[in-house]
Amino acid sequence: MGNSLKAIVAFVPSDDCQKYLLEDLEEMPVDKMVDLSGRQLRRLPLHICSFRELVKLYLSDNNLNHLPPELEQLQNLQILALDFNNFKALPLVVCTLKQLCILYLGNNKLCSLPLELRLLQNLKTLWIESNCLQCLPEVVCELSLLKTLHAGSNALRTLPAQLRCLQELRTIWLSGNLLSEFPPVLLDMPFLEVIDVDRNSIRFFPSLAHLPGLKLVIYDHNPCRNAPKVAKGVRRVGRWSEETPEPRKRSGAVIEITLDEKPSPPPAAKPEPE
């Protein structure tokens, strides 16, 4: 029934369609949050931009490919979810929302990010997974308060050396890219706590034992012949991790034991700003 309704709605004139789907949302919500996810929207209803005290705006899973300039009025916005849409470029108006702490851009068609992204100096969490990025945009390295970066399922082959400037970064997710070697810049980031390079093409892992902040490294599904060495207490997930020791010689034979399981991916629930 749900899919049939969406199919019918797609042919309803846009204004009437959106009024129906928004259920006459005309006043500022008490909780300062608007969730329009999964409404088949092709454009953001302009009256939403009049809710100037809005803190959270969820627009996930729609058919959006642009945003109105009036969005700039939402200067109190801290969370903006634009994932699962049709954006080929990040609308520049997003970069005017200087209080943003969390920005979801995953599952779009982004090949780059604008230089204006550097204006979001309060950004702490950035999701850019499942896009068309062949390199990590260097402007990301200018987001000085960034703590969490989700850049999995792109086509990244390297990471920029400037990434080491992000001294607040604690978690980086790079699963499902095209990395052929462990990114050297990560070796110079002692403050990292979680590194995920699952599902890449890394054949050799350098020692990570010198990273004092490291708590978890996920390196499964790589064609590697060694496990990364880590300090005591650091959890490894991949071949020859804690649960299965690295191959060792016994009577001249090398015994390999593999681990096919990995922990659950990052929670789907969208976190709140710290």
Side-chain angles (χ1 to χ4, degrees):
M1 178 64 181
N3 291 335
S4 299
L5 177 60
K6 290 181 179 180
I8 294 172
V9 162
F11 292 97
V12 178
S14 182
D15 292 339
D16 294 338
C17 170
Q18 296 207 148
K19 184 176 180 180
Y20 172 77
L21 289 174
L22 295 180
E23 300 173 351
D24 296 322
L25 177 62
E26 299 293 345
E27 296 182 358
M28 171 74 186
V30 175
D31 59 3
K32 300 182 180 181
M33 178 185 77
V34 169
D35 188 351
L36 301 179
S37 301
R39 305 296 185 95
Q40 298 294 299
L41 300 179
R42 296 182 180 178
R43 67 174 183 265
L44 178 67
L46 284 180
H47 73 275
I48 300 298
C49 299
S50 68
F51 300 162
R52 301 199 176 198
E53 298 303 313
L54 201 65
V55 173
K56 307 171 189 176
L57 178 57
Y58 297 95
L59 300 172
S60 308
D61 192 18
N62 282 293
N63 295 314
L64 300 173
N65 57 28
H66 70 281
L67 295 172
E70 289 83 355
L71 189 72
E72 185 177 4
Q73 300 176 44
L74 303 182
Q75 286 300 312
N76 289 298
L77 207 61
Q78 296 181 28
I79 300 177
L80 177 60
L82 300 174
D83 46 330
F84 292 94
N85 276 285
N86 295 317
F87 292 104
K88 294 183 179 180
L90 178 65
L92 293 182
V93 66
V94 172
C95 301
T96 68
L97 306 174
K98 297 183 180 180
Q99 296 304 312
L100 278 183
C101 296
I102 301 177
L103 179 58
Y104 298 98
L105 299 175
N107 290 274
N108 279 285
K109 301 173 183 177
L110 302 175
C111 294
S112 63
L113 293 174
L115 293 177
E116 288 81 356
L117 190 72
R118 64 166 63 106
L119 299 175
L120 301 182
Q121 285 299 308
N122 284 305
L123 206 61
K124 295 182 179 179
T125 299
L126 177 61
W127 294 60
I128 51 175
E129 78 285 359
S130 299
N131 276 286
C132 304
L133 300 171
Q134 295 186 10
C135 60
L136 184 69
E138 293 186 4
V139 66
V140 172
C141 304
E142 299 185 45
L143 303 173
S144 60
L145 295 184
L146 199 65
K147 289 188 174 182
T148 302
L149 176 61
H150 292 263
S153 299
N154 281 284
L156 305 181
R157 296 180 182 275
T158 61
L159 296 181
Q162 298 93 318
L163 194 68
R164 63 170 58 92
C165 297
L166 297 183
Q167 298 191 12
E168 296 298 319
L169 194 65
R170 297 295 180 266
T171 302
I172 185 165
W173 304 90
L174 299 167
S175 175
N177 277 287
L178 300 176
L179 301 172
S180 59
E181 66 172 347
F182 187 83
V185 65
L186 299 184
L187 300 175
D188 297 329
M189 301 177 71
F191 32 80
L192 283 175
E193 296 179 358
V194 177
I195 299 174
D196 178 8
V197 289
D198 181 27
R199 300 185 185 278
N200 278 277
S201 300
I202 301 172
R203 294 186 174 277
F204 174 78
F205 280 95
S207 173
L208 306 180
H210 66 289
L211 300 179
L214 195 60
K215 298 178 180 178
L216 169 66
V217 55
I218 304 172
Y219 63 95
D220 208 7
H221 303 99
N222 280 280
C224 56
R225 295 183 176 275
N226 72 310
K229 295 186 182 302
V230 295
K232 184 177 180 180
V234 178
R235 187 183 178 200
R236 300 181 300 178
V237 177
R239 303 178 76 191
W240 317 304
S241 62
E242 293 87 355
E243 294 82 358
T244 53
E246 291 192 51
R248 61 181 183 273
K249 292 184 178 181
R250 285 184 179 175
S251 302
V254 176
I255 301 175
E256 287 193 8
I257 306 176
T258 61
L259 177 68
D260 293 326
E261 297 180 352
K262 62 170 287 188
S264 300
K270 294 179 169 61
E272 300 293 323
E274 297 183 3

